[in-house]
Amino acid sequence: RTHHSARSRSVCAAALMYCSISGNAPEKPVVSSKSGHLFEQSVVEKLVQATGKCPVTDEPLSLDDLLPIKVGASIKPRPVASSSIPGMLSLFQNEWDALMLEMYTLKQQLETVRQELGHALYQHDAACRVIARLVKERDDARTALAEAQPAPQAAAVAPPAETVSQPTEPAAMDIDSTSTSGMTPEILAKFTATSKELSKGRKKRQPPADQVSADAIAAFTLLSSHELHATGPVCTDMHLKQPLVATGGDDGVVVLFDSAARAIKATLKGHTGPVRRVRLHVAKPLVVSCSADATARCWDADGKLLHTISAHTAEVTDCSLHATGEYFVTASADKSWMLCDLDRGCSILSVKDASAGYSCAGFHPDGLILGTGTEKVVRIWDIKSQANVASFEGHENDVACLAFSENGYYLATGAADSTIKLWDLRKLKNFHTITASANVGALHFDYAGQHLVVASSDVTIFDTKNWKSLANFGEHSQPVTGVCFGSGAAMIAASSADGLLKLYGSA
């Protein structure tokens, strides 16, 4: 009994000992030999190591001055506030109030961050508008300078992009003006005015009312097949407004075909070599063709030969109509491209001495830049200054065809490496590559810029939003060498090396 009473007094004494710092009963109590104050060992040792003083009396204190106290293990009593239901409710209420206060503070901080973010976005938007205005002023100044100097032989400047190389040899090309009129101020003014008008209208232009949907294109079937030429590659073009198809074959013949009546409208004979490209004029009843006989010819819709241009010394591989409707360009294997007057049937200027012959050429929809294919490289030209301003490299074999999208931003190129590369003209780099079933022979964007049709061993249509295939037609027994969309993308004309023309559309 005496022993039990002594143990009880020891436990009570231990329970009455409190740390002079935290105010709680210490688990490992120590006492200062200098001041006599009681502390929790872990707490006071950290303070002494940090300050070297007693936290209560502020006198010098070391770890050797702390004496441990041996006490028996005891169960910590529950706080008075937690020993009853009202006390526990009070604790819960205090915790809830603290939580609500913290949430309110966080909401205020969130609102402040939102305001700061909104202000930053507003500043960014304002900066973008200022940059856009400055870029426009810069472009206007460049245009004014170009108009003031009609035909400068400027050095080409290549934009900084990984896929764009600085032109070296093309920048020093000779511009033949001995037998041509050259780029006059009147022609420059026409080109500039047309470009401004088309560029401004393109931003607000809506797809044609008769534009066919992607679902309808995916359901296209073969409508008819027509043998128009002898065996050999056949090029194709379709009129944007009329049911008219033009084809040119290895037999040197150009055929105008009525796609509605499914009948030949006219046969144009005059070329002495295979026809490489045919182009239908959008606003006039005219046809332009080029051939391996080193000539380009202009015809009317009835088949009458209007002009023959014989300025090239080798095969003319491609031709393209300018947006003004008054000029066209020809590209040749003689390492030159030439700008020609459609009404007069004569050459205006000739840019010569490329590193190799040209395989294809095409005008941008606005008409101020020209794309050409030379071996594995696609070159971009400023028509006004005849300067090679950019070169796209990436194909592993010769470039066979190219096409600009009507949105003005994209250029598609096809090559003998069985790939189609998509180039962003704003960033001057390749942003997507499509693998075809075989070497690419032709490609064409529809007028709305929503679809791309590709000719290889078959015919494939891609959606330009995600570049996924919408439809594929494999009815051709020979490689497809020509392909084109019709009005509203409601019909597709495809020609192949077996001399056949096939029409696809909704049944």
Side-chain angles (χ1 to χ4, degrees):
R1 189 163 129 188
T2 303
H3 175 73
H4 178 73
S5 299
R7 184 178 179 183
S8 299
R9 286 194 298 269
S10 175
V11 171
C12 292
L16 293 177
M17 292 190 299
Y18 296 102
C19 176
S20 298
I21 298 175
S22 63
N24 297 324
E27 294 183 1
K28 295 181 179 180
V30 293
V31 64
S32 172
S33 61
K34 293 185 176 180
S35 64
H37 287 286
L38 186 71
F39 303 102
E40 175 65 56
Q41 182 179 359
S42 60
V43 176
V44 73
E45 283 183 351
K46 292 179 181 179
L47 290 174
V48 170
Q49 289 175 352
T51 63
K53 295 181 179 181
C54 177
V56 178
T57 62
D58 206 25
E59 296 177 353
L61 186 66
S62 65
L63 296 179
D64 295 335
D65 297 328
L66 298 176
L67 303 177
I69 300 176
K70 294 183 179 181
V71 295
S74 61
I75 300 175
K76 295 182 180 180
R78 180 182 296 178
V80 178
S82 304
S83 60
S84 63
I85 292 179
M88 296 178 66
L89 291 176
S90 177
L91 286 176
F92 295 155
Q93 183 65 47
N94 291 338
E95 291 181 4
W96 175 261
D97 293 342
L99 179 61
M100 291 299 103
L101 180 61
E102 183 179 2
M103 289 181 62
Y104 176 74
T105 303
L106 291 175
K107 287 182 179 179
Q108 285 185 321
Q109 293 176 352
L110 176 61
E111 186 63 27
T112 302
V113 171
R114 283 180 175 174
Q115 292 178 355
E116 293 176 354
L117 178 59
H119 183 65
L121 291 175
Y122 175 78
Q123 289 181 327
H124 178 269
D125 184 61
C128 289
R129 289 197 296 269
V130 172
I131 293 172
R133 178 174 58 81
L134 293 176
V135 170
K136 183 178 183 301
E137 292 177 356
R138 182 204 63 184
D139 293 342
D140 292 342
R142 286 180 175 176
T143 302
L145 180 61
E147 292 175 353
Q149 300 175 352
Q153 194 166 345
V157 178
E162 293 182 359
T163 54
V164 181
S165 62
Q166 182 174 358
T168 54
E169 189 172 345
M173 286 185 175
D174 295 333
I175 299 176
D176 184 5
S177 59
T178 57
S179 60
T180 58
S181 60
M183 186 71 78
T184 64
E186 290 77 13
I187 297 176
L188 282 171
K190 286 182 181 179
F191 281 19
T192 302
T194 300
S195 176
K196 287 183 178 179
E197 181 180 358
L198 292 176
S199 178
K200 182 179 179 181
R202 181 172 289 105
K203 297 178 181 178
K204 301 178 181 179
R205 190 176 71 187
Q206 298 295 324
D210 59 348
Q211 178 72 18
V212 176
S213 66
D215 292 338
I217 291 178
F220 275 8
T221 59
L222 176 63
L223 300 178
S224 60
S225 179
H226 310 273
E227 186 175 355
L228 303 182
H229 298 274
T231 302
V234 178
C235 54
T236 304
D237 192 26
M238 288 194 77
H239 202 281
L240 284 177
K241 299 178 181 179
Q242 302 175 12
L244 183 63
V245 181
T247 61
D250 259 16
D251 51 9
V253 176
V254 176
V255 176
L256 299 182
F257 186 81
D258 189 327
S259 58
R262 306 287 200 274
I264 295 176
K265 184 177 180 181
T267 300
L268 288 55
K269 297 182 178 180
H271 285 294
T272 58
V275 178
R276 297 308 186 202
R277 179 69 68 185
V278 289
R279 300 285 189 180
L280 290 168
H281 199 289
V282 178
K284 300 177 182 179
L286 297 175
V287 183
V288 178
S289 62
C290 61
S291 168
D293 62 7
T295 67
R297 299 174 186 260
C298 302
W299 319 73
D300 65 15
D302 296 325
K304 179 182 178 181
L305 179 62
L306 302 177
H307 306 291
T308 299
I309 299 174
S310 305
H312 288 291
T313 59
E315 175 181 355
V316 183
T317 55
D318 207 345
C319 59
S320 178
L321 291 166
H322 190 267
T324 57
E326 301 177 15
Y327 307 93
F328 67 97
V329 73
T330 58
S332 173
D334 64 4
K335 304 180 183 181
S336 72
W337 61 265
M338 188 177 299
L339 183 66
C340 305
D341 188 306
L342 186 60
D343 294 330
R344 295 186 294 160
C346 64
S347 171
I348 294 175
L349 63 87
S350 178
V351 180
K352 299 182 176 181
D353 298 332
S355 59
Y358 293 103
S359 57
C360 56
F363 273 116
H364 184 273
D366 292 344
L368 286 185
I369 63 175
L370 173 73
T372 61
T374 307
E375 294 181 326
K376 302 177 184 179
V377 182
V378 178
R379 304 189 189 280
I380 305 299
W381 300 83
D382 182 347
I383 291 297
K384 294 190 295 183
S385 64
Q386 298 88 56
N388 177 202
V389 295
S391 296
F392 296 142
E393 300 178 359
H395 283 292
E396 297 178 359
N397 212 327
D398 291 350
V399 178
C401 52
L402 59 83
F404 288 95
S405 172
E406 279 293 329
N407 65 12
Y409 300 143
Y410 299 149
L411 169 66
T413 59
D417 58 5
S418 303
T419 64
I420 304 101
K421 289 188 177 292
L422 286 308
W423 309 86
D424 191 322
L425 298 176
R426 297 164 294 182
K427 300 178 180 179
L428 295 175
K429 68 177 183 179
N430 172 225
F431 67 91
H432 189 66
T433 299
I434 300 172
T435 301
S437 57
N439 294 344
V440 181
L443 40 78
H444 184 247
F445 284 98
D446 72 307
Y447 182 68
Q450 296 179 351
H451 308 103
L452 173 68
V453 60
V454 176
S456 55
S457 62
D458 50 19
V459 177
T460 307
I461 307 172
F462 296 92
D463 190 329
T464 58
K465 292 182 180 179
N466 51 28
W467 304 107
K468 293 183 179 180
S469 174
L470 289 175
N472 179 268
F473 309 107
E475 290 83 1
H476 293 272
S477 60
Q478 295 292 325
V480 184
T481 54
V483 70
C484 192
F485 279 106
S487 175
M491 183 177 288
I492 295 173
S495 55
S496 55
D498 54 10
L500 296 179
L501 170 70
K502 295 183 183 292
L503 301 178
Y504 298 91
S506 298

